[in-house]
Amino acid sequence: MKKKKSKKKQTNSNSIDQKLGQTKNSAKLVLFVFGIGPIIGIIIFLYSKGFFNSAPT
């Protein structure tokens, strides 16, 4: 009367692990873009305005 459910659980867990891996990678990418991106943008903006020049203009 017992059916083999272990194979289904293994395939489901493997697909869940793959989805979690993709989610973690995309989360890291989003955090990198929205975390580092604005900082780089601000640095470029300030550099273009002469903020980092030591000589006064």
Side-chain angles (χ1 to χ4, degrees), residues 18-34:
Q18 288 174 353
K19 288 179 183 178
L20 285 175
Q22 291 175 354
T23 304
K24 288 180 183 178
N25 289 338
S26 61
K28 288 179 184 178
L29 179 65
V30 168
L31 285 174
F32 179 77
V33 168
F34 288 103

Side-chain angles (χ1 to χ4, degrees), residues 41-52:
I42 291 169
I43 290 171
I44 291 171
F45 174 77
L46 291 174
Y47 184 78
S48 69
K49 297 294 180 182
F51 183 77
F52 297 108

